[in-house]
Amino acid sequence: MKKSKKNRINVVYSTNQETLDPSVQRLYISLDRKNRGGKEVTLIEGFVGDEDDLKTLAKELKSKCGVGGSVKDSEIIIQGNFVEKLYKLLLDKNYQIKKKGGY
């Protein structure tokens, strides 16, 4: 027997992901060289939230380090080895940070 859609009053479906408070989020920071021609990049993974908030955070971190970078697949990619500097910056913003890759 097929269910009727009339029983779905006041139900809202959303694909937008709400950004969590920084004190609740756990971010992972690591250094990566894979498939980058031997160049080092700092990866920040684990951000939960809106794409615009992720891009805003990435822009701020890139400007603090004075380098370029990008946002792909919910990861922030910063050119160069800035693990320690970004660790301190994100701690100051009340994010929970964990280092990956032998740091």
Side-chain angles (χ1 to χ4, degrees):
M1 190 179 252
K2 200 171 190 181
K3 288 186 177 180
S4 173
K5 290 186 179 183
K6 292 180 182 179
N7 294 336
R8 297 183 189 174
I9 298 174
N10 297 330
V11 175
V12 177
Y13 295 98
S14 176
T15 57
N16 293 341
Q17 195 169 16
E18 194 172 310
T19 303
L20 296 176
D21 189 59
S23 61
V24 179
Q25 293 200 42
R26 171 167 276 168
L27 300 180
Y28 296 94
I29 189 166
S30 63
L31 190 64
D32 188 28
R33 286 189 199 107
K34 293 180 183 174
N35 299 325
R36 303 188 196 283
K39 305 211 183 222
E40 295 179 331
V41 296
T42 305
L43 288 177
I44 300 170
E45 304 167 285
F47 186 85
V48 178
D50 187 37
E51 187 77 19
D52 292 334
D53 293 336
L54 179 64
K55 288 180 181 178
T56 303
L57 177 62
K59 184 175 181 180
E60 183 180 339
L61 295 175
K62 289 187 298 184
S63 68
K64 294 276 185 181
C65 294
V67 295
S70 64
V71 175
K72 288 184 183 174
D73 302 327
S74 298
E75 293 180 341
I76 300 174
I77 302 169
I78 306 289
Q79 295 174 354
N81 185 351
F82 291 98
V83 174
E84 293 299 324
K85 186 171 187 173
L86 292 173
Y87 182 83
K88 291 175 185 172
L89 287 171
L90 291 169
L91 274 180
D92 291 342
K93 292 181 141 306
N94 294 328
Y95 284 98
Q96 295 180 15
I97 305 294
K98 205 142 197 203
K99 293 180 184 177
K100 283 183 11 180
Y103 282 98

